[in-house]
Amino acid sequence: MAASRWQIQGHGGAGDLCSNNTQEAFEMAWSLGIIPEADVRISRDGVLVAFHDNSFRRIAQRGDAGLAHLSVAALDWEQLSTLDIGSRQDGAFKSHRIPCLKEVFASMHGRPNRRLYLDLKEAPLETLAGEVGDAGVQSQVIFATTHYPLIREWKTLLPQGKTLLWMGAQGEEADRLLESRFEELRKHDFSALTEVQIHAFLRQPVESIRRDTLDPFTPTDAFFQKAAGELKKQGILFQSLPWGGTTPEVYWKLLDLGVESFATDSPLVTLAALENYQPLHCP
């Protein structure tokens, strides 16, 4: 499939197309023209790696009782590098392993079309910024977190770096809770922000959602529209992550509400939907 004109984040690398947080996933995402996401953690001996969970419980198999309760921070890189995490997710991904970020950055150096979201989970910010700077990939990395103070701190460490703040809320209070997050951004004049991502939690079965469906997500249509207008005035890219199912109609509805970019677990569905999108005012 040809590269997309839309900016798409591959959740965990390449979403459901590959193993989670592996070099193979990043390579697949780049081949599709989307931007993979790496979740950042640090090993016991100080090596930055890509891995999402707090423990290995989800990938531990029978006989791995000891491993299941351990975290990245409990093991040295030498131990982490031997773990076959791919086959534990799916047999098709046998021998896919946890990558260290230095190697990932090396595969990006000199290839400006290779960009990468870095979602900080548990690692020193200064250490991560130092490795990004040393690798010379500052302009290719988008630092992602749900903590706005970390965004501002990142920009002091790497002024050229791009950033994404993500947020989400469910339930009847979702609009109010997200509005309070925006109040924090306004107090700082949206400083240091390049992108904002708001999760779109489906409130009804995915197959029932159409472009004219009223408030199929939390937050509401009105909140999405207000956020889109405000972010556009600030020159900030508005991204969303649909949560609970994906169809072309889900993406078209969010685009109609003003969303400009997506994070996705289903890249092929997302790419096809966006390439076939027609704004409502078109005949």
Side-chain angles (χ1 to χ4, degrees):
M1 182 177 290
S4 174
R5 63 188 176 90
W6 302 89
Q7 181 164 315
I8 301 170
Q9 176 186 160
H11 195 205
D16 58 14
L17 298 178
C18 197
S19 50
N20 188 273
N21 275 279
T22 61
Q23 183 68 38
E24 289 84 357
F26 305 152
E27 296 285 346
M28 179 172 287
W30 289 326
S31 74
L32 292 171
I34 67 176
I35 307 173
E37 175 214 22
D39 295 291
V40 181
R41 295 186 179 276
I42 193 165
S43 69
R44 182 168 57 186
D45 55 345
V47 177
L48 292 172
V49 303
F51 193 79
H52 181 274
D53 291 2
N54 289 321
S55 73
F56 298 109
R57 180 181 58 82
R58 282 202 296 174
I59 63 166
Q61 295 178 326
R62 188 167 50 188
D64 287 341
L67 177 66
H69 300 290
L70 295 177
S71 66
V72 165
L75 300 178
D76 292 337
W77 167 242
E78 184 177 359
Q79 297 167 290
L80 291 170
S81 65
T82 65
L83 298 178
D84 178 358
I85 64 167
S87 62
R88 299 176 187 199
Q89 294 177 50
D90 188 304
F93 307 141
K94 183 178 180 180
S95 78
H96 292 190
R97 303 184 186 279
I98 296 173
C100 77
L101 290 185
K102 279 187 179 179
E103 294 175 354
V104 178
F105 296 155
S107 73
M108 297 167 60
H109 184 74
R111 307 175 79 169
N113 60 312
R114 291 191 165 197
R115 294 186 286 164
L116 182 70
Y117 283 94
L118 293 175
D119 192 344
L120 187 68
K121 295 304 182 189
E122 191 172 1
L125 195 67
E126 297 84 356
T127 302
L128 178 59
E131 285 202 8
V132 170
D134 290 345
V137 294
Q138 303 96 306
S139 63
Q140 295 164 250
V141 159
I142 304 166
F143 175 73
T145 178
T146 191
H147 304 292
Y148 187 38
L150 286 179
I151 293 277
R152 302 198 304 275
E153 186 178 351
W154 179 262
K155 288 292 281 189
T156 67
L157 297 170
L158 289 177
Q160 298 178 1
K162 297 179 175 63
T163 62
L164 177 143
L165 180 73
W166 59 267
M167 61 182 76
Q170 299 188 65
E172 297 301 319
E173 295 294 305
D175 283 21
R176 183 186 63 79
L177 293 171
L178 292 172
E179 176 62 23
S180 70
R181 299 293 305 273
F182 268 71
E183 282 293 336
E184 180 187 17
L185 306 185
R186 295 181 193 113
K187 288 177 182 177
H188 296 274
D189 296 321
F190 292 84
S191 65
L193 282 174
T194 305
E195 305 174 19
V196 167
Q197 179 194 109
I198 297 178
H199 293 182
F201 294 99
L202 274 62
R203 299 177 60 228
Q204 58 193 70
V206 65
E207 62 274 6
S208 69
I209 295 175
R210 300 290 181 264
R211 293 177 75 170
D212 60 356
T213 303
L214 179 64
D215 294 333
F217 316 114
T218 51
T220 62
D221 291 0
F223 186 90
F224 269 108
Q225 291 171 324
K226 179 182 177 182
E230 190 165 11
L231 293 173
K232 186 173 184 178
K233 288 180 181 178
Q234 297 291 335
I236 295 169
L237 183 72
F238 186 17
Q239 184 176 101
S240 184
L241 172 61
W243 203 268
T246 53
T247 64
E249 295 276 357
V250 166
Y251 292 108
W252 297 341
K253 171 70 177 181
L254 288 166
L255 288 166
D256 294 342
L257 293 173
V259 174
E260 303 167 299
S261 170
F262 293 95
T264 180
D265 285 302
S266 305
L268 297 184
V269 175
T270 309
L271 284 165
L274 299 190
E275 294 305 321
N276 288 294
Y277 175 68
Q278 293 292 334
L280 288 173
H281 64 266
C282 289

